[in-house]
């Protein structure tokens, strides 16, 4: 009975072929593979620019530079940063160790290291923010214009100073409690509430995830035509159904001829072999295994709370960069505008420039000190001499001085150690060769890195979230390579088996005819 059922001319074999095709189509449609893998292809297309070697390396360089900026600023932005409380303690420490009066210590620092001393006197920067309304009122009064006109005049004639002045209040107000990121957590569940937390979230969670999955993404993108897999399966299923159904009908109707049947069974293993070869040529096993590992690793990035908080988080980072860009180096432009502003006020009021400076120092001392400190690269330039001065004055070796500062004044020590790294990297981002925006614009500095994250990466994540969710639906991507291999293997083996049976039937038929001929 079995031998008869497996006769290649019998309808049962072609019914099996037809059912295999039906099973393929049912899998594709039942699992929603067209939509799911189509969404996966959209995710790959959207994210492809972020996973190039140069951008993965550049993203690390960018976030490292931003991290240094946070390390520099965190102690000095608000009272909670701690550096402001350490400044008088440092003066008292030097006074005690040298026997000099504190006023003499401060005078020596001002004379020899004016930019550094001014920055210390401006700390915390939140006190500068508190003075800004008074500064606007002062300028409005002496220039005899409205506060709105003061703002317009600053933006028109002193745009770099105006940018820093405009960004500073938002930075100091949001540094310890960033608005709009409620619900944002690190991947381990640690709440993110401040700028340091944002830095750690991007620098220790998001960017490492991209770095870990660069090869997984690239091999999935390079090896597997993801958009084609589901349609190809569907086409194979439909072709197998039509092929099997045609020969099934011909067999049931008794119209199937021997040569026709042999040709039909010859095509069946060819289809199975083609599917198996495609699995190999596309490297589906390693590519889809890596793809599934990448999906699981990226899952926290696409969580609703994180996608919603990414924009205000990167907006805060952008505001910090807006503050630092004009004041960090000479190229930022704010330092050159300070004497121009003093000269402008002098010209408009008839006051001598020295009197203008004296008025600023009296009315808004923290603001005047910050203006004197600019650019911050001038502070960096003074630090080696300051270290040598303190080392000689206190009778300590450089290593002993560093240990003393870190032990007694850790927040100041953090800013002092980070600032030279920041000012060096600001206009020439290290380790960023070939780093570009998605549109190909070269990225060479921290502002370019900020734009890359804020205008390219974060919008890409938001735009890809729905497609990522569709891709992340079960079953696992790991299933597809074995599934395709199994389908191809079953069709190949069954087709070869039936083709062999066909050959046996042909030879048996010939032998029977020969016996009849001889018997007659």
């Amino acid at each position: 009975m079995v031998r008869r059922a497996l006769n290649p001319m019998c309808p049962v074999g072609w019914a099996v072929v037809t059912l295999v095709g039906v099973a393929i189509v049912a899998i594709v449609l039942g699992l929603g593979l067209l939509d799911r893998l189509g969404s996966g292809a959209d995710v790959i297309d959207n994210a492809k620019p972020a996973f190039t070697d140069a951008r993965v390396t550049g993203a690390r360089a960018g976030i490292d530079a931003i991290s240094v900026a946070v390390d520099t600023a965190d102690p000095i932005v608000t009272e909670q940063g701690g550096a402001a409380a350490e400044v008088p303690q440092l003066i008292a420490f030097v006074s005690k160790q040298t026997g000099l009066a504190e006023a003499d210590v401060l005078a020596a620092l001002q004379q020899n290291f004016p930019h550094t001393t001014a920055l210390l006197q401006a700390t915390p920067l939140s006190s500068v923010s508190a003075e800004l309304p008074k500064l606007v009122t002062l300028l409005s009064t002496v220039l005899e214009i409205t506060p709105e006109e003061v703002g317009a005049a600053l933006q028109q004639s002193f745009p770099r100073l105006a940018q820093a002045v405009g960004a500073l209040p938002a930075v100091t107000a949001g540094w310890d409690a960033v608005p709009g990121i409620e619900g944002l957590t690190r991947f381990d569940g640690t709440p993110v509430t401040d700028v340091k937390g944002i830095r750690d979230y991007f620098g220790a969670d998001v960017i490492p995830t991209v770095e870990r999955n660069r090869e997984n993404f690239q091999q999935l993108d390079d090896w597997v035509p993801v958009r084609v897999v589901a349609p190809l399966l569907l086409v194979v299923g439909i072709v197998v159904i039509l092929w099997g159904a045609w020969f099934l009908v011909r067999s049931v109707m008794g119209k199937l001829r021997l040569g026709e049947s042999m040709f039909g069974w010859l095509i069946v293993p060819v289809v199975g072999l083609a599917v198996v070869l495609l699995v190999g040529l596309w490297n589906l096993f390693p590519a889809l295994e890596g793809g599934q590992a990448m999906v699981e690793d990226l899952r926290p990035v696409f969580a609703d709370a994180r996608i919603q908080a990414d924009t205000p988080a990167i907006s805060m980072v952008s505001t910090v960069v807006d503050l630092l860009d004009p004041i960090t180096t000479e190229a930022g432009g704010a330092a050159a505008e300070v004497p121009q502003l003093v000269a402008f006020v002098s010209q408009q009021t008839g006051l001598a420039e020295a009197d203008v400076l004296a008025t600023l120092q009296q009315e808004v001392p923290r603001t005047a000190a910050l203006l004197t400190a600019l650019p911050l690269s001038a502070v960096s330039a003074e630090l080696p001499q300051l270290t040598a001065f303190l080392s000689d004055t206190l009778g300590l070796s450089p290593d002993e001085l560093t240990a003393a500062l870190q032990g007694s004044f850790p927040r100041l020590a953090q800013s002092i150690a980070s600032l030279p790294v920041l000012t060096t990297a600001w206009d020439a981002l290290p380790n960023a060769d070939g780093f570009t925006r998605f549109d190909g614009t070269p990225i060479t500095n921290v502002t370019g890195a900020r734009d890359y994250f804020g205008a390219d990466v974060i919008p890409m994540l938001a735009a890809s979230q729905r497609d990522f969710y569709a891709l992340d639906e079960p079953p696992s991507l790991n299933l597809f390579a074995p599934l395709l291999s199994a389908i191809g293997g079953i069709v190949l083996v069954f087709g070869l088996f039936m083709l062999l049976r066909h050959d046996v039937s042909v030879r048996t038929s010939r032998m029977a005819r020969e016996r009849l001929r001889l018997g007659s």
Side-chain angles (χ1 to χ4, degrees), residues 408-420:
S408 300
F409 315 103
R411 304 303 286 156
L412 278 174
Q414 177 178 312
S415 284
I416 288 171
S418 300
L419 182 58

Side-chain angles (χ1 to χ4, degrees), residues 214-224 286-288 290-291:
R214 172 174 56 180
E215 291 186 5
N216 287 336
F217 183 93
Q218 289 176 353
Q219 71 179 11
L220 186 62
D221 179 46
D222 292 342
W223 295 352
V224 183
L288 292 181

Side-chain angles (χ1 to χ4, degrees), residues 82-448:
E86 291 179 355
V87 172
Q89 295 171 10
L90 176 62
I91 299 297
F93 172 76
V94 175
S95 173
K96 181 179 179 180
Q97 295 298 311
T98 62
L100 295 172
E102 292 185 12
D104 293 334
V105 172
L106 184 58
L109 292 175
Q110 288 174 327
Q111 180 179 353
N112 294 287
F113 316 104
H115 292 279
T116 305
T117 307
L119 182 59
L120 294 175
Q121 291 174 322
T123 304
L125 299 184
S126 54
S127 63
V128 179
S129 294
E131 287 182 350
L132 290 180
K134 187 175 181 180
L135 173 63
V136 173
T137 300
L138 176 64
L139 292 176
S140 175
T141 301
V142 298
L143 296 175
E144 297 182 348
I145 57 177
T146 66
E148 291 76 15
E149 289 171 331
V150 169
L154 287 175
Q155 290 177 346
Q156 180 176 355
S157 300
F158 315 102
R160 304 303 284 160
L161 274 176
Q163 177 178 314
V165 167
L168 181 59
V171 170
T172 56
W175 190 268
D176 296 318
V178 178
I181 64 168
E182 296 78 10
L184 178 61
T185 63
R186 296 280 306 278
F187 286 3
D188 63 4
T190 303
V192 175
T193 59
D194 56 18
V195 173
K196 288 186 299 180
I198 292 173
R199 180 270 310 272
D200 294 340
Y201 167 66
F202 286 115
D205 289 342
V206 177
I207 300 301
T209 301
V210 173
E211 291 172 326
R212 285 194 302 271
N213 288 283
R214 172 174 56 180
E215 291 186 5
N216 287 336
F217 183 93
Q218 289 176 353
Q219 71 179 11
L220 186 62
D221 179 46
D222 292 342
W223 295 352
V224 183
V226 175
R227 200 180 298 277
V228 173
V229 172
L232 177 64
L233 273 176
L234 187 61
V235 169
V236 168
I238 293 173
V239 168
V240 170
I241 290 172
L242 294 177
W243 194 257
W246 168 259
F247 285 96
L248 174 61
V249 170
R250 297 278 293 170
S251 178
V252 168
M253 295 176 64
K255 295 183 178 181
L256 188 60
R257 299 291 179 260
L258 189 64
E260 183 184 4
S261 175
M262 187 170 185
F263 174 73
W265 286 114
L266 181 64
I267 297 301
V268 170
V270 170
V271 172
L273 179 62
V275 172
V276 172
L277 289 176
L278 284 177
V279 171
L281 290 173
W282 288 344
N283 295 288
L284 283 189
F285 276 93
L288 292 181
E289 286 176 4
Q292 182 61 32
M294 178 182 67
V295 167
E296 293 173 2
D297 209 14
L298 286 172
R299 196 174 290 152
V301 176
F302 286 95
D304 282 339
R306 295 192 180 101
I307 291 294
Q308 291 170 9
D310 279 346
T311 298
I314 204 67
S315 178
M316 185 64 187
V317 172
S318 181
T319 304
V320 173
V321 174
D322 284 342
L323 166 64
L324 292 176
D325 188 47
I327 67 175
T328 298
T329 68
E330 194 75 43
E337 291 180 353
V338 172
Q340 296 171 10
L341 174 62
V342 173
F344 171 76
V345 175
S346 173
Q347 183 181 14
Q348 296 297 311
T349 61
L351 295 172
E353 292 186 12
D355 293 334
V356 173
L357 283 173
T359 301
L360 291 175
Q361 290 168 347
Q362 180 178 351
E363 299 296 330
V364 284
R366 304 277 189 166
T367 305
L370 181 58
L371 294 177
T372 302
L374 302 184
L376 299 182
S377 55
V379 179
S380 295
E382 289 178 353
L383 289 179
Q385 290 78 19
L386 174 60
T387 300
F389 172 80
L390 291 175
S391 180
D392 291 341
T393 302
L394 299 174
L396 300 173
S397 70
D399 290 342
E400 290 173 332
L401 176 63
T402 299
L405 290 175
Q406 291 176 342
S408 300
F409 315 103
R411 304 303 286 156
L412 278 174
Q414 177 178 312
S415 284
I416 288 171
S418 300
L419 182 58
V421 181
L422 175 66
T423 54
T424 299
W426 193 266
D427 293 323
L429 196 63
N431 304 316
D433 294 341
F435 189 23
T436 64
R437 296 278 305 278
F438 284 4
D439 63 4
T441 303
I443 298 172
T444 58
N445 53 31
V446 176
T447 55

Side-chain angles (χ1 to χ4, degrees), residues 74-75 78-83 124 126 176 411:
D74 185 55
T78 67
E79 197 75 43
Q80 291 91 327
S126 54
D176 296 318
R411 304 303 286 156

